[in-house]
Amino acid sequence: MQADLIIVGAGMVGSALALALQDQGLEILLVDGSPLSVKPFDPQAAFEPRVSALSVASQRILERLGVWEGIAARRVCPYGEMQVWDGSGTGQIHFSAASVHAESLGHIVENRVVQDALLERLHDSSIGLLPGARLEQLRRSGEGWLLSLNDGRELRAPLVIAADGANSAVRRLAGCATREWDYLHHAIVTSVRCAKPHQATAWQRFTDDGPLAFLPLAGPAGEHWCSIVWSVTPAEAERLMALDDACFRRALGFAFEHRLGEVLQADPRLCIPLRQRHAKRYVEDGLALIGDAAHSIHPLAGQGVNLGFLDVAVLAEVLLHAMQRGERLSDVKVLSRYERRRMPHNLAMMAAMEGFERLFQADPLPVRWLRNSGLNWVDDLPEAKALFVRQALGLSGDLPELARV
Ligand SMILES: Cc1cc2nc3c(=O)[nH]c(=O)nc-3n(C[C@H](O)[C@H](O)[C@H](O)COP(=O)(O)OP(=O)(O)OC[C@H]3O[C@@H](n4cnc5c(N)ncnc54)[C@H](O)[C@@H]3O)c2cc1C
């Protein structure tokens, strides 16, 4: 099979890119190892353990792609406040959407919900979907690439986009260099029912082991559900995963200082090792990396897929402008425009997360004192906080057209 462009990986990021490029006269193939089927949504079903805090910029992009409607019709929880505090000190900081006259700071959405809403649109589109197709080999052939799939099929295209996640096969097979390091953290994720309402607030406590987030979910009337992301050392993760349900709920409630009362119920837990990865280049002739295939960062600020959606919006803009000018889309000069716009932003976000993580891990007394007084000092500076809130909304800096109103 031959196409103008092949996207490997139909996760949230690859699917969004396919939709952003549809109906422009490009022959597009979207290849994924999974079945790409849409599950009928059951509002009574338990929450999926993997969720994302989608920024306002991501919401705008998904609105422009006609996907947000499908997300909102399933299950989302807007949040208007963020409460962050140092568990081993007195420092705390509070952010609110109202401080920048925004309706919300973002929405907590189950990844499955975003994925299904994207797939629903893709099944109605002219994009060539190849489900159950794992990429196994990739090599240069003539002017473009030859891709071999697990089922023996071969695909050819001058341009390949890697959207196949943190362990990207495309990145490995194409020999793209990456920098990577272990955070020495595992994230335990699950959904929990609390005794007290979550107040549409994203809560984050920095503990001695790592950050613990309680993110609000839209539970049934009268029930107060949150998604938790608990980052701890691998040894502590092993201990927490081995606890029985009652002991785990007690340990979680204690680690969260019972801010939302007792943890009454907990769904099955998932444990995810956290690694930071960053490709040294996002592009070469005929190839571009997007989303987690290009960069994966600590989930403490909930930015991973938001960065991925901005990659999508910028790459689509670059490719569509190049088409209008009659340029060759696979030309590394064209693709470099995407890299120039996205790499500094992604690197800055990764550095900020790294800094935060280290600051809160540091134990010496002077660092603790600085950290606590710094948090309280910034909490009293409305202008500084408004800057941070705009960053969290994803609306600062070089915004692509798809993320503008
Ligand atoms: C604990 C945790 C919490 C997080 N919370 C947030 C948050 O609050 N907000 C946020 O923005 N981000 C968050 N993230 C990050 C976010 O989950 C990721 O950035 C996002 O899922 C990446 O999407 P992606 O489409 O790039 O990759 P993926 O979701 O990994 O999708 C990759 C796709 O490629 C396919 N694939 C893989 N290999 C092949 C192959 N060889 N052939 C064909 N197909 C292939 C897979 O089947 C999959 O569909 C969190 C991450 C973690 C670990």
Side-chain angles (χ1 to χ4, degrees):
M1 285 164 101
Q2 174 82 35
D4 296 318
L5 184 141
I6 296 175
I7 303 171
V8 182
M12 293 188 276
V13 173
S15 298
L17 180 69
L19 288 173
L21 293 173
Q22 69 174 334
D23 299 333
Q24 302 290 335
L26 285 172
E27 208 53 68
I28 302 173
L29 288 177
L30 181 57
V31 177
D32 200 288
S34 61
L36 302 184
S37 45
V38 180
K39 264 203 286 178
F41 180 69
D42 172 7
Q44 311 299 329
F47 292 98
E48 292 285 335
R50 297 285 309 259
V51 307
S52 297
L54 294 184
S55 67
V56 173
S58 293
Q59 179 184 348
R60 283 189 191 164
I61 293 169
L62 292 163
E63 278 169 358
R64 294 284 295 277
L65 300 180
V67 175
W68 188 257
E69 218 178 302
I71 294 176
R74 288 175 166 87
R75 194 159 55 187
V76 295
C77 186
Y79 65 100
E81 321 269 326
M82 206 188 288
Q83 196 72 251
V84 179
W85 72 103
D86 185 344
S88 55
T90 54
Q92 58 176 327
I93 193 160
H94 167 255
F95 301 100
S96 78
S99 69
V100 292
H101 311 289
E103 274 177 28
S104 74
L105 290 175
H107 289 78
I108 308 299
V109 193
E110 292 148 85
N111 289 4
R112 188 68 246 170
V113 161
V114 182
Q115 184 74 64
D116 279 356
L118 284 158
L119 285 173
E120 207 164 65
R121 297 279 298 132
L122 281 168
H123 284 294
D124 289 340
S125 76
S126 57
I127 312 274
L129 286 186
L130 269 68
R134 281 200 78 73
L135 174 76
E136 291 208 325
Q137 291 299 328
L138 172 79
R139 63 180 173 82
R140 293 215 179 252
S141 159
E143 295 281 278
W145 297 94
L146 176 67
L147 290 78
S148 309
L149 306 179
N150 56 338
D151 55 11
R153 276 183 290 182
E154 294 201 322
L155 314 175
R156 285 174 190 278
L159 177 56
V160 170
I161 311 292
D164 51 348
N167 295 310
S168 170
V170 175
R171 192 183 63 214
R172 175 174 44 81
L173 294 167
C176 305
T178 54
R179 275 190 214 98
E180 51 185 281
W181 58 96
D182 224 311
Y183 278 120
L184 297 177
H185 264 170
H186 287 187
I188 297 178
V189 295
T190 186
S191 315
V192 298
R193 184 163 65 85
C194 302
K196 294 187 188 165
H198 51 55
Q199 302 150 51
T201 299
W203 308 80
Q204 181 128 263
R205 175 183 189 246
F206 283 88
T207 74
D208 288 338
D209 279 331
L212 166 61
F214 270 56
L215 308 171
L217 293 171
E223 293 190 5
H224 315 303
W225 283 87
C226 288
S227 167
I228 65 134
V229 183
W230 194 356
S231 305
V232 289
T233 59
E236 180 63 358
E238 197 177 323
R239 189 186 74 80
L240 291 171
M241 288 301 285
L243 291 180
D244 66 28
D245 184 67
C247 291
F248 176 75
R249 287 188 284 110
R250 256 199 312 277
L252 178 62
F254 182 75
F256 193 58
E257 299 172 5
H258 299 103
R259 290 264 173 138
L260 298 180
E262 234 183 289
V263 178
L264 303 171
Q265 191 180 336
D267 282 347
R269 298 150 236 167
L270 269 187
C271 180
I272 307 169
L274 300 177
R275 276 185 85 71
Q276 171 151 294
R277 286 190 193 81
H278 193 254
K280 289 188 180 166
R281 297 285 322 258
Y282 293 176
V283 298
E284 59 179 77
D285 206 56
L287 182 69
L289 311 179
I290 60 173
D292 273 25
H295 44 76
S296 47
I297 72 171
H298 199 292
L300 82 87
Q303 284 303 325
V305 81
N306 292 309
L307 299 181
F309 285 135
L310 285 168
D311 292 350
V312 164
V314 170
L315 181 59
E317 189 172 307
V318 163
L319 292 176
L320 296 177
H321 282 176
M323 266 179 89
Q324 284 161 8
R325 293 198 202 108
E327 292 173 302
R328 187 167 60 87
L329 300 191
S330 56
D331 189 337
V332 70
K333 280 199 212 125
V334 169
L335 299 172
S336 295
R337 293 172 199 152
Y338 151 70
E339 183 183 75
R340 274 202 300 279
R341 282 177 67 184
R342 290 303 303 147
M343 196 181 260
H345 181 241
N346 291 335
L347 275 173
M349 184 62 80
M350 291 174 92
M353 288 315 101
E354 179 76 10
F356 244 98
E357 215 251 339
R358 289 199 182 179
L359 181 66
F360 280 94
Q361 290 280 298
D363 207 34
L365 206 58
V367 182
R368 279 194 193 206
W369 180 82
L370 257 181
R371 183 169 79 203
N372 281 290
S373 20
L375 277 180
N376 293 332
W377 183 65
V378 177
D379 199 38
D380 286 335
L381 292 177
E383 290 83 12
K385 286 207 299 183
L387 265 179
F388 181 91
V389 172
R390 280 193 202 94
Q391 188 76 34
L393 297 176
L395 297 179
S396 53
D398 167 24
L399 271 192
E401 283 163 26
L402 276 177
R404 292 187 208 142
V405 269

